[in-house]
């Protein structure tokens, strides 16, 4: 089974910009992996932020954006807010089977 | 409005089987896959598998192969996740989510304990 890798933790200052990445042990992440990004807060169900690399949902704040960067999927947060402190998970598709990354704990400090 | 309503919390003994339901409303049930995701205490999200309600076709991750059965009942617009031979490490919150993984159920807590 494929292994999806994310930074275990990152810190961003309020108002700052941070990029979270999502890599695959099988090689370059492409649009064909249909990268998804989710936000997870304690006691809540995951919230989908980005689908298919860069598509935002109607509820996704404008400060979040998705892309492919350096062979990985990337989630960029521009203008971090205190409420963005959470765990973030990417999800990649491998011929229909899905694999989550280990998650990134984002601290806004 | 799309809604996924999951069944209530379960407590099971090791070796038992649990079946969690996910009732869908707000869209045509057969239009999208239903996925199941596990979140164990202090752990990350784990994709377990999915079902295509159109024809019942399933796909499972290797970790749960042989113990996991995901089904879809088109007469009641309900998806089911059945996990057998339960062990303590199966203690977790189990979520269902629509095909686009954009709408999720609130989760069902399954506790495996003696």
């Amino acid at each position: 089974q494929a292994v999806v890798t994310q930074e275990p933790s990152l810190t961003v200052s309020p108002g700052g910009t941070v990029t979270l990445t999502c890599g695959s042990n099988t090689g370059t992440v492409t649009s064909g992996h249909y990268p998804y990004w989710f936000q997870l807060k304690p006691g809540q169900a995951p919230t989908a932020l980005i689908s298919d690399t860069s598509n935002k949902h109607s509820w996704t704040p404008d400060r979040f954006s998705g892309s492919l960067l350096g062979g990985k999927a990337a989630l960029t947060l521009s203008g971090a807010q205190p409420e963005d402190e959470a765990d973030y998970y990417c999800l990649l598709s491998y011929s229909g089977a899905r694999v989550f990354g280990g998650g990134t704990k984002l601290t806004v400090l | 409005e799309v809604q996924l309503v999951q069944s209530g919390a379960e407590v099971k003994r090791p070796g038992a089987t649990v079946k969690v339901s996910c009732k869908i409303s707000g869209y045509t049930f057969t239009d999208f896959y239903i996925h199941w995701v596990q979140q164990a205490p202090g752990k990350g999200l784990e994709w377990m598998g999915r079902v295509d309600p159109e024809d019942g076709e399933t796909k499972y991750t290797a970790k749960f192969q042989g113990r996991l059965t995901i089904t879809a009942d088109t007469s009641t617009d309900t998806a089911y996740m059945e996990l057998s031979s339960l062990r303590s490490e199966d203690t977790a919150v189990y979520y269902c989510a629509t095909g686009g993984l954009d709408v999720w159920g609130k989760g069902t807590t399954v506790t495996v304990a003696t």
Side-chain angles (χ1 to χ4, degrees):
Chain A
Q1 178 174 308
V3 176
V4 178
T5 56
Q6 298 183 243
E7 298 85 1
S9 64
L10 290 169
T11 299
V12 61
S13 301
T17 296
V18 64
T19 296
L20 290 64
T21 68
C22 175
S24 172
N25 70 334
T26 63
T28 297
V29 175
T30 70
S31 58
H33 290 96
Y34 306 101
Y36 280 69
W37 290 93
F38 300 89
Q39 180 187 69
L40 186 60
K41 293 184 177 180
Q44 297 181 19
T47 299
L49 293 175
I50 301 288
S51 64
D52 294 345
T53 305
S54 58
N55 295 328
K56 297 183 186 182
H57 298 284
S58 59
W59 53 82
T60 303
D62 286 343
R63 59 185 179 273
F64 288 96
S65 62
S67 64
L68 295 175
L69 195 65
K72 297 181 180 182
L75 176 71
T76 299
L77 171 58
S78 303
Q81 302 296 309
E83 60 265 31
D84 298 328
E85 185 160 297
D87 293 332
Y88 291 84
Y89 289 85
C90 68
L91 178 75
L92 300 181
S93 177
Y94 296 87
S95 301
R98 315 297 170 94
V99 181
F100 279 102
T104 296
K105 184 176 184 63
L106 181 66
T107 301
V108 180
L109 189 62
Chain B
E1 180 193 4
V2 175
Q3 287 193 318
L4 282 66
V5 178
Q6 296 186 224
S7 50
E10 302 262 13
V11 179
K12 295 290 183 181
R13 297 276 190 246
T17 296
V18 69
K19 191 169 185 177
V20 180
S21 66
C22 175
K23 167 79 173 171
I24 281 79
S25 63
Y27 71 91
T28 302
F29 183 56
T30 52
D31 278 355
F32 302 105
Y33 295 163
I34 298 293
H35 299 265
W36 287 89
V37 174
Q38 180 197 59
Q39 186 183 19
K43 304 283 189 181
L45 301 175
E46 179 121 35
W47 184 83
M48 301 175 72
R50 60 88 175 145
V51 62
D52 181 350
E54 176 82 44
D55 59 9
E57 187 239 356
T58 54
K59 205 167 190 77
Y60 303 128
T61 193
K63 175 180 175 180
F64 298 102
Q65 199 85 35
R67 294 200 298 136
L68 175 63
T69 304
I70 298 175
T71 56
D73 184 343
T74 56
S75 69
T76 60
D77 291 353
T78 302
Y80 296 91
M81 185 282 295
E82 185 172 352
L83 190 60
S84 63
S85 302
L86 289 170
R87 36 219 194 209
S88 58
E89 52 265 39
D90 295 322
T91 293
V93 178
Y94 293 86
Y95 295 100
C96 59
T98 58
L101 292 152
D102 50 351
V103 182
W104 292 59
K106 293 191 185 304
T108 296
T109 299
V110 175
T111 303
V112 183
T114 54

